[in-house]
Amino acid sequence: MAGDSEGAKEEYTKDGSVDLNGNPILRSKCGGWTACSFVIVYEVFERMAFYGIQSNLVLYLTNKLHQGTVTSVNNVTNWVGTIWMTPMIGAYVADAYLGRYFTFIIASVIYLVGMCLLTLAVSVNSLKPPPCGPNTSDPNCTEKASSLQLGVFFTALYILAIGTGGTKPNISTIGADQFDEFDPRERAHKLSFFNWWMFSIFFGTLFAFTILVYIQDNIGWTLGYGLPTLGLFISIIIFVIGTPFYRHKLPSGSPFTKMARVLVAASRKWKVQVPSDPKELHELDLEEYASKGKYRIDHTPILRILDKAAVKTSSASPWVLCPVTQVEETKQMLRMIPILFATFVPSIMLAQVNTLFVKQGTTLNRSISPHFKIPPASLQAFVTVSMLITVVIYDRCFVPFIMKWTKNPRGITLLQRLGIGLILHIIVMLVASLTERRRLNAAKAHGLEGGGEIPVTIFMLLPQFVLMGMADAFLEVAKIEFFYDQAPETMKSLGTSCSQTSLGVGNFLSSYLLTTVSHITRKNGHEGWILNNLNASHLDYYYAFFSILNLLNLLFFLFVSWFYLYKVENSEQTEAFQMMKDDKSIVAAKIQQDEDNLHANLATALFNANIEV
């Protein structure tokens, strides 16, 4: 019976996950790839909707709402930047108050409302200005969009931004939560999760860059926006159907408040001496953490100035005295910030270079047959296809092969994978610079410096798109997994949002960088590197500049990653806790044995005394 009871206990998850009502859950009844399948289906349709809008948004603003090129590009950049910044808010709400599941459900409904309003804005004639004739982007067009028309369209866009703020940081975290790190089999699956997660993302992206872009360009915007709206609605229903299979993590309070308390407490006690023995610092009992499904984090020697927050004083206020675990959680978040900074330059490239690649494609021969031309935005599908192939090869071939030498279940470390992505980004820019030089030479040879289509196939750009996909397979996957994996257990959503904040900052910085480079290169009578006429521009110089910028960023990354200390795995903490419980059991058994021996000796003595009497 005791063995059966112990076996039953082993079936429960050990990572603190619970069901929707907060009760312990059996590992065999939920979670795993079964639960992830519902999550992944949602993500495929969500990315299809998002990139179906983003990929052609600049064309809708110029051709349908009659905005100028600069205005439309800035509007797209600002919107995309907002999309990737709002996840920080959604992560805060999830970790502090509502939990990931309910935050996601509410946000997905807001997302759907925004999609419906956006579809309405492109469908109803009164919500868009009449066309100006053959050239709808003519700057002299007097049929500008009214305040109402612009207001409805941009309201819909920013409702989407609010919705994605709650879905993007939580959906991937919900997926990763379905694997118990303390079960060896599930832990192995979790190491592959982010590879296949990104695979699903780019599967939806591929559909957006091909089918949806073609529909928007050749059939109509109503169907082009209506299809992803319908797909998003169906995916939300599928996600809700999967609710009985999900594992959940309870909200554990505001992560910002926790970190603020540590910083305030350390600053208040900046004159206090930190004891040489970490055991003298304030900490809660291990059982108190275990009873709440949380983890106690041992003291680490980094950022020792924050240890002052855990030095015992006369005050027990949480703004004066913090336990070591809370201090270590703050350390874990702060030490990721330099790595976050190292991802800004690649994010600028993603925000800017793909757009420039697409514009390059508009100057080349895009004809596949006499009746079909590749839509300019579909060029990004090459990045997606390359990434899909690279992720599969990496997960199925590279990782098992390299594990034999590294003994690392991931094959290589997360930072090593991220570093390979940064190196590939340098190669991408070098190849792009050389390719652009060839394109400009071809334009000059055909006398097309003033503009026009160059009689060179668009597939000359294929190498840089393929390399960009390979770079993303390393960098983007490693980035999202790194910030999830290295964040404290109580701040996983916040950690995941850091990888998305990188993209938001990159979008805002890209506009500044592009404007600055354009302004500087036009000084002293120079024509400049970036002009409206790409055949007279010098994007080859701009790409070479990006190569140098990426090289400097790589050196910075190597410096900060050299000093980075990975956090202790939770499985190691659980083993330590189990050993402690086993030690206590041994001690308790020894005490019980001593008591039994004492009682037996006492009974024998009394028996002998009675005989003597």
Side-chain angles (χ1 to χ4, degrees):
M1 294 295 293
D4 295 340
S5 176
E6 184 177 352
K9 288 182 180 179
E10 286 299 317
E11 295 180 3
Y12 285 93
T13 57
K14 299 178 180 179
D15 61 350
S17 57
V18 295
D19 64 14
L20 199 58
N21 297 319
N23 301 316
I25 47 178
L26 294 173
R27 182 182 296 113
S28 60
K29 299 297 183 181
C30 60
W33 287 113
T34 301
C36 281
S37 62
F38 295 96
V39 177
I40 288 175
V41 167
Y42 169 85
E43 189 64 9
V44 170
F45 282 97
E46 190 277 331
R47 290 305 171 112
M48 181 183 73
F50 173 66
Y51 286 106
I53 296 170
Q54 181 193 357
S55 59
N56 252 354
L57 182 58
V58 67
L59 295 182
Y60 186 85
L61 294 177
T62 54
N63 295 343
K64 298 299 181 181
L65 296 185
H66 309 151
Q67 292 189 337
T69 301
V70 175
T71 301
S72 59
V73 170
N74 284 339
N75 281 332
V76 172
T77 303
N78 292 336
W79 175 69
V80 174
T82 305
I83 284 282
W84 294 114
M85 294 297 288
T86 52
M88 189 68 72
I89 300 174
Y92 167 77
V93 173
D95 285 340
Y97 301 108
L98 299 181
R100 291 157 196 162
Y101 178 84
F102 288 110
T103 302
F104 172 82
I105 290 295
I106 295 172
S108 62
V109 173
I110 297 174
Y111 196 162
L112 183 61
V113 170
M115 286 294 298
C116 291
L117 182 59
L118 193 64
T119 304
L120 190 67
V122 302
S123 304
V124 179
N125 290 331
S126 60
L127 294 179
K128 53 186 178 181
C132 295
N135 185 12
T136 56
S137 59
D138 184 357
N140 297 320
C141 175
T142 58
E143 298 292 340
K144 302 297 182 182
S146 67
S147 298
L148 175 62
Q149 293 166 343
L150 291 174
V152 172
F153 188 81
F154 282 101
T155 296
L157 285 181
Y158 282 91
I159 288 176
L160 289 180
I162 296 173
T164 56
T167 59
K168 287 187 181 297
N170 292 303
I171 187 66
S172 60
T173 312
I174 290 173
D177 286 346
Q178 304 312 308
F179 301 98
D180 187 353
E181 290 189 355
F182 306 127
D183 179 76
R185 178 171 166 272
E186 291 195 12
R187 177 172 174 78
H189 289 166
K190 188 172 185 175
L191 295 178
S192 296
F193 167 74
F194 284 101
N195 288 327
W196 295 105
W197 175 256
M198 294 301 292
F199 184 93
S200 68
I201 285 177
F202 282 89
F203 188 84
T205 304
L206 179 62
F207 185 88
F209 286 154
T210 53
I211 306 300
L212 286 183
V213 165
Y214 178 82
I215 290 174
Q216 292 167 1
D217 285 351
N218 297 277
I219 299 178
W221 294 92
T222 299
L223 184 61
Y225 280 6
L227 282 178
T229 301
L230 178 62
L232 184 66
F233 174 69
I234 294 173
S235 67
I236 293 174
I237 293 177
I238 293 175
F239 178 85
V240 173
I241 291 174
T243 299
F245 299 97
Y246 300 144
R247 300 174 185 174
H248 305 271
K249 295 292 183 68
L250 297 175
S252 56
S254 168
F256 295 113
T257 301
K258 291 180 181 179
M259 291 187 289
R261 284 175 174 171
V262 172
L263 296 176
V264 170
S267 62
R268 284 184 173 182
K269 296 186 288 187
W270 66 278
K271 292 184 178 180
V272 174
Q273 185 70 27
V274 178
S276 57
D277 186 0
K279 295 181 180 180
E280 297 181 17
L281 298 174
H282 172 61
E283 180 57 298
L284 305 178
D285 291 334
L286 188 58
E287 294 92 331
E288 185 169 343
Y289 288 106
S291 64
K292 298 178 181 178
K294 299 179 181 179
Y295 309 99
R296 194 176 78 177
I297 305 177
D298 292 333
H299 174 268
T300 59
I302 63 171
L303 297 174
R304 284 185 56 85
I305 190 172
L306 296 181
D307 292 341
K308 295 179 181 292
V311 175
K312 298 175 182 178
T313 59
S314 58
S315 175
S317 168
W319 292 93
V320 177
L321 183 63
C322 304
V324 170
T325 293
Q326 188 173 329
V327 174
E328 292 301 321
E329 288 176 338
T330 304
K331 289 181 181 181
Q332 288 177 3
M333 292 302 298
L334 292 180
R335 69 189 179 193
M336 290 193 295
I337 291 179
I339 305 296
L340 177 63
F341 287 162
T343 64
F344 287 166
V345 171
S347 295
I348 293 173
M349 284 183 56
L350 288 176
Q352 191 176 104
V353 172
N354 278 340
T355 302
L356 293 176
F357 286 177
V358 170
K359 287 191 175 183
Q360 282 178 278
T362 61
T363 67
L364 298 170
N365 181 14
R366 297 181 284 115
S367 298
I368 299 297
S369 69
H371 305 290
F372 180 76
K373 285 189 174 184
I374 299 177
S378 293
L379 291 171
Q380 298 170 83
F382 293 123
V383 178
T384 304
V385 172
S386 173
M387 183 171 185
L388 291 176
I389 295 173
T390 305
V391 165
V392 175
I393 294 175
Y394 180 88
D395 188 76
R396 292 303 179 188
C397 301
F398 178 76
V399 171
F401 174 77
I402 203 69
M403 275 177 57
K404 297 177 182 179
W405 283 272
T406 64
K407 307 302 181 183
N408 187 324
R410 286 190 173 91
I412 56 178
T413 67
L414 294 174
L415 290 180
Q416 287 171 342
R417 184 174 182 178
L418 203 153
I420 293 174
L422 294 178
I423 294 173
L424 288 175
H425 269 243
I426 299 174
I427 299 174
V428 169
M429 288 294 94
L430 290 174
V431 171
S433 179
L434 295 175
T435 302
E436 176 62 7
R437 177 62 62 88
R438 288 176 53 204
R439 191 190 69 83
L440 291 176
N441 289 338
K444 185 177 182 180
H446 290 86
L448 296 173
E449 296 95 327
E453 182 179 289
I454 304 171
V456 178
T457 177
I458 192 175
F459 291 109
M460 74 176 298
L461 301 177
L462 188 59
Q464 62 203 57
F465 281 97
V466 171
L467 286 170
M468 180 66 81
M470 293 174 60
D472 288 348
F474 281 89
L475 191 142
E476 292 303 314
V477 177
K479 184 170 66 173
I480 188 172
E481 185 175 358
F482 172 81
F483 286 107
Y484 171 85
D485 183 78
Q486 293 299 296
E489 289 299 319
T490 58
M491 303 179 185
K492 289 295 187 185
S493 294
L494 181 62
T496 303
S497 70
C498 287
S499 64
Q500 295 157 348
T501 299
S502 168
L503 294 172
V505 173
N507 272 273
F508 287 121
L509 289 178
S510 67
S511 296
Y512 173 77
L513 183 63
L514 184 64
T515 302
T516 302
V517 171
S518 178
H519 175 71
I520 292 176
T521 56
R522 287 186 180 183
K523 285 184 175 181
N524 301 323
H526 295 288
E527 292 185 354
W529 290 357
I530 307 166
L531 306 173
N532 290 332
N533 177 17
L534 292 187
N535 291 352
S537 300
H538 273 292
L539 287 181
D540 53 336
Y541 295 166
Y542 189 57
Y543 292 157
F545 164 73
F546 253 119
S547 299
I548 297 173
L549 191 62
N550 275 283
L551 176 60
L552 296 175
N553 184 66
L554 175 64
L555 296 176
F556 170 74
F557 170 78
L558 293 175
F559 175 77
V560 298
S561 61
W562 179 266
F563 296 99
Y564 186 82
L565 180 66
Y566 286 94
K567 75 171 189 177
V568 177
E569 297 290 348
N570 293 328
S571 55
E572 297 178 24
Q573 298 179 40
T574 299
E575 292 174 2
F577 178 57
Q578 188 64 44
M579 290 176 60
M580 187 202 73
K581 290 198 299 183
D582 293 342
D583 290 343
K584 285 188 175 183
S585 299
I586 294 173
V587 172
K590 185 67 171 63
I591 293 175
Q592 183 64 44
Q593 183 179 1
D594 291 343
E595 290 180 354
D596 292 342
N597 291 337
L598 178 62
H599 292 159
N601 292 335
L602 181 61
T604 301
L606 291 174
F607 178 75
N608 291 335
N610 290 333
I611 292 177
E612 291 177 0
V613 174

